[in-house]
Amino acid sequence: DVVMTQSPLSLPVTLGQPASISCRSSQSLVYSDGNTYLSWFQQRPGQSPRRLIYRVSNRDSGVPDRFSGSGSGTDFTLKISRVEAEDVGVYYCMQGTHWPRTFGQGTKLEIK
Amino acid sequence: EVQLVESGGGLVQPGGSLRLSCAASGFTFTNYWMSWVRQAPGKGLEWVANLKEDGSEKYYVDSVKGRFTISRDNAKNSLYLQMNSLRAEDTAVYYCARDPGGDCYACLDYWGQGTLVTVSP
């Protein structure tokens, strides 16, 4: 199975400051069609997960533009340019290139 | 508005069975793969299974192969997960999620609210 490794696992951030989450895969996530199927999800406390980013860098509608995704191959990053209180929660990366689909362990973002 | 509503969770003894349902609305169900994802209490997300639009392809995580069966009824816009030989480690909230399939593999764009399955004596 492809192992998705996120870091850090805990991320205390001051309001208004940037935050960055790394996600590394044990194999390249480039699919045979040339696309890279790496998504990011946010799970706020007590809520279902919500997709933020798909195919590495495509932001979902309604997602604030302070969220951005980047990366390639095996190395990916989710960045928040200025953290707001509503960003508190756990963030997961997920790959859809290989079977079985796998998630990272999750990164818990909290306000310092 | 896309809606996914899971039901069927509950308390079951080890070795028992349970059938989860997911009622979909607000989109053309037959145009999408569908997935089940679970989350054990206080833990992370685990992809469980998914199923192609016409039911012709289905995939499972190894830990549930031979015990769980994913299916769908396109006439009823419904997704199911039949869970047999349940174990304590299957205890989790089970989410159904819409899966764009070939447009974006495993880019789960809509999720239900989840249904809790507890496996305990």
Side-chain angles (χ1 to χ4, degrees):
Chain A
D1 297 2
V2 173
V3 177
M4 305 296 287
T5 303
Q6 290 183 226
S7 62
L9 298 184
S10 178
L11 184 56
V13 184
T14 301
L15 286 173
Q17 292 301 302
S20 180
I21 301 171
S22 169
C23 174
R24 290 192 167 94
S25 57
S26 60
Q27 298 178 38
S28 172
L29 298 187
V30 180
Y31 191 59
S32 55
D33 64 5
N35 288 313
T36 299
Y37 295 109
L38 185 283
S39 299
W40 289 97
F41 298 88
Q42 175 195 60
Q43 188 174 32
R44 290 172 171 152
Q47 295 187 12
S48 300
R50 164 201 184 196
R51 195 181 73 182
L52 298 176
I53 303 283
Y54 62 96
R55 268 191 260 118
V56 181
S57 59
N58 295 275
R59 192 169 49 244
D60 272 277
S61 61
V63 174
D65 61 8
R66 63 179 182 275
F67 288 90
S68 64
S70 63
S72 63
T74 62
D75 201 345
F76 306 92
T77 303
L78 176 70
K79 291 183 179 176
I80 310 173
S81 58
R82 295 171 306 279
V83 169
E84 298 190 4
E86 66 178 18
D87 300 336
V88 164
V90 182
Y91 292 80
Y92 297 92
C93 59
M94 179 191 184
Q95 66 83 19
T97 299
H98 302 279
W99 297 103
R101 311 317 195 189
T102 46
F103 287 91
Q105 320 97 299
T107 294
K108 186 173 184 179
L109 186 149
E110 61 180 25
I111 303 301
K112 206 185 288 184
Chain B
E1 178 195 5
V2 172
Q3 285 201 321
L4 299 169
V5 180
E6 302 94 335
S7 60
L11 176 63
V12 61
Q13 292 189 337
S17 298
L18 215 52
R19 188 195 196 207
L20 305 184
S21 299
C22 171
S25 61
F27 65 101
T28 304
F29 188 65
T30 52
N31 285 353
Y32 290 88
W33 288 61
M34 295 294 295
S35 285
W36 288 100
V37 175
R38 67 183 178 183
Q39 185 170 36
K43 302 297 184 183
L45 301 172
E46 180 183 37
W47 175 84
V48 174
N50 71 353
L51 180 62
K52 196 175 179 180
E53 298 97 325
D54 61 2
S56 61
E57 293 181 40
K58 53 186 75 174
Y59 299 90
Y60 301 92
V61 68
D62 280 352
S63 59
V64 308
K65 277 181 187 174
R67 300 189 300 123
F68 289 13
T69 302
I70 188 171
S71 63
R72 64 195 293 162
D73 184 336
N74 285 343
K76 294 183 178 180
N77 288 349
S78 292
L79 176 73
Y80 306 102
L81 187 67
Q82 176 67 44
M83 304 186 296
N84 299 330
S85 303
L86 282 161
R87 307 167 179 166
E89 54 266 34
D90 296 317
T91 294
V93 173
Y94 285 74
Y95 296 100
C96 95
R98 193 175 80 167
D99 186 333
D103 286 343
C104 191
Y105 293 116
C107 304
L108 308 178
D109 57 358
Y110 287 92
W111 297 61
Q113 85 290 347
T115 187
L116 176 62
V117 172
T118 303
V119 184
S120 178

